[in-house]
């Protein structure tokens, strides 16, 4: 492909036209003025309210993401009132929730725990309640005290210990929820105990449908004179399943709660407002707005609590606003998809044989192939996971890229020449020549499994991380969208072959780079500065910056360097997608040039994406009302970039950057389809089942592409079960077989005494190590050490097994 002057100009004109048609995001249901009024109400109580009102306001602000100054204010409160019974528990609870690091949080949790450990203290009850609210089981603090309380008579202390016990484990959580529901529905317990049980269920949430029905029935049958009445209504309404909000039971609970709010003399109306904060809708805003205003709030005995709770409800409703892409954005995405199909159709007329289809006739230009390799390796997984990694864990992973010069030297001078010496279609022919058919078939199995998992994860991440954040769609639609995305990719890939893949990769590289750049530009415009949004200190929630390598620490610079070194060497020394691109160039110099371009592009884009992560931290810290309800910046780190695309970028630009994400996904999927089809055709059908080889090999390879796509779609449905942030999922799933695959090539290329059996044993040992490290944290190995440990074990076992086999043979002669 030639990207000439006219092509670049056309792209720039397109950008200009999109910018010219931009408009600001749609108006919000909560106006900026109302949001500011509610926020100022909370902050006013935080600074000048009564003691426990300050605690309640601080906790509301923390839930909403407005954490500024809270730690400083409550540290001052701790200095002034840290020895004051009762109130000190509230101070410590706020400081624990506001803590920026696990160590700081533990300090304040320990303070609360120390009071629980001394039942004779007057605020022992408050400490027990606070442990439950912090999600900490009293059994982790003092099992003997917890047991003695649960074995005594039922009172408030007993209820709080029962509530806290739920956080001992999943089984205990289910048992406690059932027990609390039994208490609420029981007529034998006092109203005080039933009220607290309902309060605990409102805080815990997530009861099943059957439990909700029982709770809602209890709410409907509770007399309005009961002390537990408002709390049971609140708990039932908050726990209402999403598909039951318009059911008669839910409607009754809400109407009863609204009726409770009309009684200014009842202190329980504060609880009704917290129920509206959880499940309230736009129609509730007029009532909530009136309660924020001083003249209305003054009618209530607990006016400060009422104003705090109403303000919190307004801001929570604001957080639940839904956004959709503008029609112009959809137009950009549709035009992009049509463009990809046209590219595939164009090149379908030029592919005359399988070599044209799979290797582009071996005449591809290094610059285009280098960008294609970059676009393949920096997939939508990278595009989504790298900003999230910066947001959650800091810059250590990116600083590790200082290892790139060494990577270029090792790959360019030790690996690429080995592949360029052979004129073949499949990299795995080298394995058969050196170690026999068995090793080649094992490598083929490793590669195909790796690529199927890779494509499945790309589909999963693109739909469940990006699309769900950009478009408000029910989760049940995800499989259908996955099918559509893969069918589109299959169509243009199977039509045009490798030339279509490289051509679309180059286009998608430009879109990818532009998306990251435009995001940074728009955030800079938002802050009216190119640098004001950059952090001026190392953020407290990031892991401490360490240079050394440590297998039991997730993120250090040394860990990142080792992981990147191993990944690039293993991938470029064994992966058909990489080797295929080197073989498509005319000579060794061009192949090295291809890898160099890919490495430079990867470096630049990773830095861009890291900066995008910093931009997202700044933007959502300044605008926490855009966060999902109940989520923090770190809690949804992987989704902040896609969310910003929807709510932060002007109309038109959102569609362009969304196209960048789908472009990156389709770029990688197309490469995976092409290389997997190549391996299946060359290494399985031609080598093992020649009778199935079609008289029309080109048509057969296209059919294989369709089959590969179907398998990837099916696998994408189970990827969501893997735990961790998106980068962790990539390493655990996508890269699980990267090291084992390279073990086979290492033995074939660099171990002259390697045997077929020894190499197979080494490869299987590497797989076993990767699995136990990824899913069972064997020997405390953290995620960035999965590949290095698997590579080390595989090579050592392979060498020992080969030497042993040689020795046994020599002794048997």
């Amino acid at each position: 492909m030639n990207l000439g002057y006219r092509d670049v100009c056309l792209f720039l004109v397109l950008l200009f036209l999109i910018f010219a048609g931009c408009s600001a995001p749609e108006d919000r249901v909560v106006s900026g003025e109302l949001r500011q009024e509610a926020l100022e109400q909370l902050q006013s109580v935080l600074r000048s309210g009564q003691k426990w009102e300050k605690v309640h306001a601080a906790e509301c602000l923390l839930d909403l993401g407005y954490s500024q100054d809270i730690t400083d204010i409550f540290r001052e409160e701790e200095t002034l009132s840290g020895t004051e019974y009762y109130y000190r528990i509230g101070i410590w609870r706020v400081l624990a929730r506001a803590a920026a690091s696990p160590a700081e949080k533990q300090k304040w949790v320990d303070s609360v725990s120390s009071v629980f450990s001394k039942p004779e203290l007057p605020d022992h009850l408050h400490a027990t309640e606070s442990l439950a609210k912090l999600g900490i089981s009293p059994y982790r603090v003092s099992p003997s005290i917890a047991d003695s309380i649960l074995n005594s008579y039922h009172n408030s202390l007993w209820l709080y210990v029962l509530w806290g016990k739920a956080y001992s484990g999943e089984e205990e959580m289910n048992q406690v929820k059932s027990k609390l529901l039994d208490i609420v529905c029981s007529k034998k317990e006092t109203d005080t105990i039933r009220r607290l049980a309902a309060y605990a269920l409102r805080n815990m949430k997530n009861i099943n449908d059957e439990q909700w029905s029982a709770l809602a029935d209890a709410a409907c049958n509770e007399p309005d004179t009961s002390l537990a009445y408002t709390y049971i209504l609140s708990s039932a309404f908050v726990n209402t399943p999403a598909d039951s909000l318009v059911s008669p039971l839910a409607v009754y609970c809400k109407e009863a709660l609204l009726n409770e709010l009309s009684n200014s003399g009842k202190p329980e109306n504060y609880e009704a407002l917290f129920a509206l904060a959880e499940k309230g809708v736009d129609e509730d805003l007029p009532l909530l707005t009136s309660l924020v205003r001083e003249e209305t709030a003054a009618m209530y005995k607990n006016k400060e609590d009422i104003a705090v709770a109403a303000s919190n409800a307004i801001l929570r409703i604001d957080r639940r606003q839904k956004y959709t892409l503008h029609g112009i954005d959809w137009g950009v995405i549709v035009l992009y998809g049509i463009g990809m199909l046209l590219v595939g159709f164009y090149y379908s007329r030029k592919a005359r044989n399988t070599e044209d289809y799979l290797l582009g006739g071996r005449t591809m230009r290094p610059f285009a192939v280098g960008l294609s390799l970059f676009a393949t390796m920096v997939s939508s997984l990278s595009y989504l996971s790298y900003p999230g990694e910066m947001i959650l864990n800091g810059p250590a992973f990116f600083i590790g890229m200082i290892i790139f010069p060494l990577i270029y030297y090792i790959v360019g001078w030790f690996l690429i020449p080995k592949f360029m010496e052979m004129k073949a279609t499949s990299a795995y022919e080298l394995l058969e020549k050196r170690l026999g058919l068995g090793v080649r078939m094992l490598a083929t199995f490793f590669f195909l499994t790796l690529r199927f998992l890779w494509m499945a994860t790309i589909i999963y991440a693109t739909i469940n991380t990006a699309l769900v954040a950009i478009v408000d769609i029910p989760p049940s639609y995800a499989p259908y969208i996955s099918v559509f995305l893969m069918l589109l990719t299959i169509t243009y890939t199977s039509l045009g072959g490798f030339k279509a893949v490289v051509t679309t990769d180059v286009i998608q590289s430009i879109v990818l780079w532009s998306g990251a750049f435009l995001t940074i530009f728009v955030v800079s415009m938002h802050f009216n500065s190119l640098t004001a949004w950059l952090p001026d200190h190392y953020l407290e929630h990031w892991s401490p910056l360490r240079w050394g390598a440590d297998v039991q620490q997730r993120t250090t610079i040394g860990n990142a360097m080792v992981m990147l070194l191993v990944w690039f060497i293993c991938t470029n020394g064994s992966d058909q997608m990489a080797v295929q691109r080197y073989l498509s160039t005319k000579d060794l110099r061009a192949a090295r040039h291809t890898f160099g371009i890919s490495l430079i592009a990867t470096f630049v884009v990773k830095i861009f994406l890291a900066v995008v992560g910093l931009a997202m931290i700044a933007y959502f810290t300044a605008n926490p009302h855009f966060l999902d309800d109940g989520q923090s910046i770190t809690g949804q780190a992987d989704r902040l970039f896609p969310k910003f695309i929807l709510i932060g970028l002007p109309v038109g630009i959102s569609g362009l950057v969304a196209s960048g994400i789908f472009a990156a996904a389709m770029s990688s999927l197309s490469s995976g389809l092409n290389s997997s089809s190549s391996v299946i055709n060359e290494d399985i059908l031609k080598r093992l089942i020649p009778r199935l080889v079609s008289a029309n090999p080109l048509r057969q390879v296209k059919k294989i592409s369709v089959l590969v796509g179907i398998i990837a779609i099916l696998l994408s449905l189970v990827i969501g079960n893997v735990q961790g942030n998106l980068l962790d999922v990539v390493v655990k799933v996508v890269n699980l077989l990267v090291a084992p695959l390279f073990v086979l090539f290492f033995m074939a290329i660099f171990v002259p005494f390697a045997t077929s059996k020894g190499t197979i044993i080494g490869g299987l040992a590497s797989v076993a190590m990767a699995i136990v490290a990824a899913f069972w944290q064997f020997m405390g190995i953290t995620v960035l050490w999965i590949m290095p440990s698997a590579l080390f074990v595989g090579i050592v076992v392979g060498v020992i097994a080969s030497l042993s086999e040689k020795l046994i043979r020599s002794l048997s002669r």
Side-chain angles (χ1 to χ4, degrees):
M1 174 189 177
N2 290 317
L3 281 176
Y5 177 79
R6 287 187 302 172
D7 301 297
V8 174
C9 287
L10 182 62
F11 180 73
L12 293 176
V13 168
L14 175 63
L15 286 182
F16 174 79
L17 290 175
I18 293 176
F19 267 117
C22 290
S23 61
E26 60 187 276
D27 291 336
R28 300 176 61 85
V29 294
V30 175
S31 67
E33 293 78 8
L34 178 57
R35 184 189 315 114
Q36 189 62 32
E37 184 179 356
L39 180 58
E40 288 176 355
Q41 177 65 55
L42 288 172
Q43 291 172 335
S44 173
V45 175
L46 173 69
R47 289 180 168 81
S48 58
Q50 299 298 313
K51 293 177 179 178
W52 281 101
E53 282 77 6
K54 290 168 74 77
V55 170
H56 298 153
E59 291 184 316
C60 289
L61 287 166
L62 288 170
D63 286 337
L64 292 161
Y66 296 98
S67 59
Q68 297 91 333
D69 301 329
I70 289 178
T71 297
D72 291 339
I73 289 172
F74 274 83
R75 278 178 179 166
E76 184 177 351
E77 290 291 299
E78 209 276 335
T79 301
L80 297 173
S81 307
T83 58
E84 181 181 323
Y85 289 132
Y86 310 114
Y87 181 46
R88 63 179 182 171
I89 301 297
I91 294 172
W92 296 339
R93 191 171 76 212
V94 170
L95 288 171
R97 294 194 56 196
S101 67
E104 185 182 355
K105 178 177 181 178
Q106 191 60 49
K107 170 186 173 182
W108 301 113
V109 169
D110 288 343
S111 296
V112 178
S113 300
S114 67
V115 177
F116 175 78
S117 300
K118 299 174 183 177
E120 69 277 7
L121 292 175
D123 49 358
H124 180 250
L125 175 67
H126 289 67
T128 309
E129 178 189 9
S130 288
L131 286 176
K133 287 185 173 181
L134 290 169
I136 297 166
S137 171
Y139 279 86
R140 297 178 185 173
V141 179
S142 177
S144 59
I145 294 176
D147 266 333
S148 67
I149 294 171
L150 280 186
N151 291 329
S152 64
Y153 59 91
H154 294 189
N155 57 11
S156 299
L157 182 62
W158 175 85
L159 194 287
Y160 288 139
V161 171
L162 177 65
W163 176 6
K165 184 183 178 182
Y167 300 103
S168 299
E170 185 176 351
E171 183 179 350
E172 288 83 356
M173 176 65 75
N174 293 330
Q175 290 174 351
V176 169
K177 285 181 179 178
S178 296
K179 179 66 174 176
L180 290 171
L181 181 61
D182 290 341
I183 293 171
V184 170
C185 298
S186 172
K187 297 301 181 182
K188 296 180 180 179
E189 297 287 354
T190 66
D191 284 355
T192 298
I193 297 300
R194 295 173 62 237
R195 179 188 66 184
L196 292 178
Y199 177 68
L201 283 173
R202 192 265 285 174
N203 279 274
M204 296 167 74
K205 296 189 278 289
N206 299 319
I207 61 177
N208 61 43
D209 290 355
E210 183 179 347
Q211 290 172 326
W212 173 75
S213 296
L215 183 59
D217 282 337
C220 292
N221 294 315
E222 187 74 12
D224 59 7
T225 55
S226 165
L227 291 175
Y229 177 65
T230 305
Y231 286 83
I232 298 175
L233 284 172
S234 171
S235 187
F237 184 57
V238 167
N239 280 288
T240 304
D243 58 357
S244 300
L245 283 170
V246 295
S247 66
L249 283 176
V251 171
Y252 170 83
C253 290
K254 182 173 181 180
E255 289 178 349
L257 286 169
L258 293 174
N259 186 59
E260 285 292 282
L261 282 172
S262 65
N263 187 344
S264 60
K266 294 187 69 173
E268 292 85 1
N269 43 33
Y270 178 75
E271 177 66 15
L273 286 170
F274 269 92
L276 289 181
E278 294 285 348
K279 295 287 187 179
V281 293
D282 305 354
E283 289 76 14
D284 300 317
L285 286 172
L287 170 63
L288 295 171
T289 302
S290 69
L291 294 175
V292 172
R293 306 284 160 74
E294 184 175 351
E295 58 272 16
T296 305
M299 298 168 54
Y300 292 79
K301 292 182 178 180
N302 51 341
K303 62 179 182 179
E304 278 199 339
D305 276 341
I306 288 295
V308 164
S311 298
N312 175 61
I314 289 170
L315 295 172
R316 290 285 299 279
I317 291 172
D318 189 27
R319 292 275 285 263
R320 290 195 289 272
Q321 177 168 333
K322 302 296 184 182
Y323 297 90
T324 57
L325 285 173
H326 193 278
I328 294 176
D329 297 312
W330 284 113
V332 171
I333 294 172
V334 170
L335 287 175
Y336 180 86
I338 293 172
M340 296 301 99
L341 290 174
L342 291 176
V343 169
F345 178 75
Y346 174 78
Y347 281 106
S348 68
R349 301 162 62 186
K350 293 182 175 292
R352 296 179 298 274
N353 50 53
T354 54
E355 184 162 284
D356 275 347
Y357 184 82
L358 296 175
L359 294 176
R362 300 184 190 271
T363 59
M364 301 299 293
R365 296 189 177 186
F367 180 78
V369 178
L371 280 180
S372 172
L373 180 58
F374 147 76
T376 297
M377 299 309 178
V378 183
S379 64
S380 61
L381 296 179
S382 305
Y383 203 58
L384 297 171
S385 65
Y386 289 153
E389 174 66 14
M390 173 61 87
I391 293 166
L392 190 60
N393 295 307
F397 182 80
F398 302 94
I399 297 174
M401 289 191 295
I402 58 177
I403 199 73
F404 273 20
L406 178 60
I407 291 171
Y408 178 68
Y409 176 71
I410 293 174
V411 173
W413 273 261
F414 288 91
L415 295 179
I416 291 178
K418 297 293 183 180
F419 295 112
M420 296 303 293
E421 288 172 3
M422 63 173 190
K423 292 294 183 181
T425 301
S426 169
Y428 308 124
E429 294 176 35
L430 180 150
L431 294 177
E432 182 177 5
K433 292 177 182 177
R434 175 70 176 83
L435 295 171
L437 180 62
V439 175
R440 178 177 181 176
M441 289 300 100
L442 182 61
T444 300
F445 173 76
F446 282 174
F447 170 78
L448 291 176
T449 304
L450 186 158
R451 281 305 140 210
F452 286 150
L453 291 173
W454 180 71
M455 288 186 285
T457 308
I458 288 173
I459 296 170
Y460 167 79
T462 303
I463 303 303
N464 292 276
T465 299
L467 190 62
V468 168
I470 295 173
V471 184
D472 181 28
I473 56 170
S476 58
Y477 283 26
Y480 304 106
I481 299 172
S482 299
V483 171
F484 174 77
L485 182 68
M486 181 57 87
L487 288 177
L488 179 62
T489 307
I490 288 172
T491 301
Y492 81 72
T493 302
S494 60
L495 280 173
F498 188 68
K499 285 186 177 179
V501 170
V502 172
T503 301
T504 54
D505 280 352
V506 173
I507 297 170
Q508 290 157 355
S509 296
I510 296 172
V511 174
L512 191 70
W513 287 40
S514 301
F517 174 79
L518 288 171
T519 296
I520 295 170
F521 174 78
V522 171
V523 171
S524 297
M525 293 292 291
H526 177 78
F527 287 96
N528 296 316
S529 170
L530 294 175
T531 59
W533 50 269
L534 291 170
D536 57 2
H537 62 283
Y538 194 83
L539 301 184
E540 293 180 345
H541 75 268
W542 287 343
S543 302
L545 201 59
R546 303 186 185 93
W547 280 95
D550 186 342
V551 296
Q552 295 187 336
Q553 293 289 330
R554 184 200 181 278
T555 309
T556 71
I557 296 172
N559 288 0
M561 291 171 65
V562 172
M563 183 266 188
L564 289 169
L565 176 67
V566 170
W567 185 85
F568 273 99
I569 289 175
C570 291
T571 299
N572 289 279
S574 64
D575 194 313
Q576 172 69 4
M577 290 205 311
V579 175
Q580 185 181 27
R581 280 159 174 76
Y582 304 139
L583 296 177
S584 71
T585 58
K586 62 181 180 179
D587 54 31
L588 175 60
R589 185 169 180 270
R592 282 178 181 154
H593 190 195
T594 292
F595 179 64
I597 291 170
S598 168
L599 207 59
I600 292 170
T602 300
F603 178 85
V604 173
V605 167
K606 282 187 177 181
I607 294 299
F608 263 158
L609 294 177
V611 176
V612 167
L614 295 178
M616 295 301 93
I617 293 173
Y619 184 83
F620 285 98
T621 298
N623 302 278
H625 51 279
F626 285 128
L627 293 170
D628 291 343
D629 187 32
Q631 290 284 342
S632 64
I633 287 177
T634 55
Q636 58 180 121
D638 288 327
R639 291 193 177 187
L640 290 188
F641 183 25
K643 178 108 179 186
F644 176 82
I645 291 170
L646 178 62
I647 54 91
L649 296 181
V651 171
I653 298 299
S654 295
L656 180 65
V657 182
S659 297
I661 292 178
F662 301 129
M666 290 190 292
S667 164
S668 300
L669 290 173
S670 64
S671 297
L673 289 170
N674 192 269
S675 57
S676 298
S677 303
S678 169
V679 169
I680 292 172
N681 187 64
E682 298 292 328
D683 292 72
I684 296 179
L685 295 183
K686 286 186 178 181
R687 189 66 184 80
L688 297 180
I689 322 174
R691 68 179 182 277
L692 296 181
V693 176
S694 170
N696 188 336
L698 183 57
R699 179 180 298 174
Q700 179 167 299
V701 172
K702 292 182 178 182
K703 290 181 179 179
I704 293 171
S705 294
V706 176
L707 176 63
V708 169
I710 293 172
I711 295 173
I713 291 171
L714 295 176
L715 287 173
S716 71
L717 302 179
V718 300
I719 297 298
N721 296 322
V722 180
Q723 299 298 313
N725 74 339
L726 188 53
L727 183 64
D728 289 355
V729 172
V730 170
V731 176
K732 289 179 180 180
V733 177
V734 178
N735 295 335
L736 190 68
L737 296 177
V738 168
L741 181 58
F742 181 69
V743 166
L744 308 182
F745 280 86
F746 182 89
M747 298 294 291
I749 296 173
F750 299 109
V751 182
F753 54 84
T755 65
S756 178
K757 289 182 180 177
T759 300
I760 291 173
I761 291 171
L764 295 176
S766 182
V767 172
M769 184 64 197
I771 291 174
V772 296
F775 299 105
W776 285 278
Q777 290 77 49
F778 177 67
M779 297 178 64
I781 292 174
T782 50
V783 66
L784 296 186
W785 277 92
I786 295 172
M787 279 187 291
S789 62
L791 178 63
F792 175 78
V793 168
I795 291 174
V796 170
V797 172
V799 168
I800 293 174
S802 295
L803 285 173
S804 300
E805 185 180 354
K806 292 278 189 181
L807 180 61
I808 292 171
R809 284 180 182 174
S810 64
L811 292 176
S812 63
R813 290 176 183 172

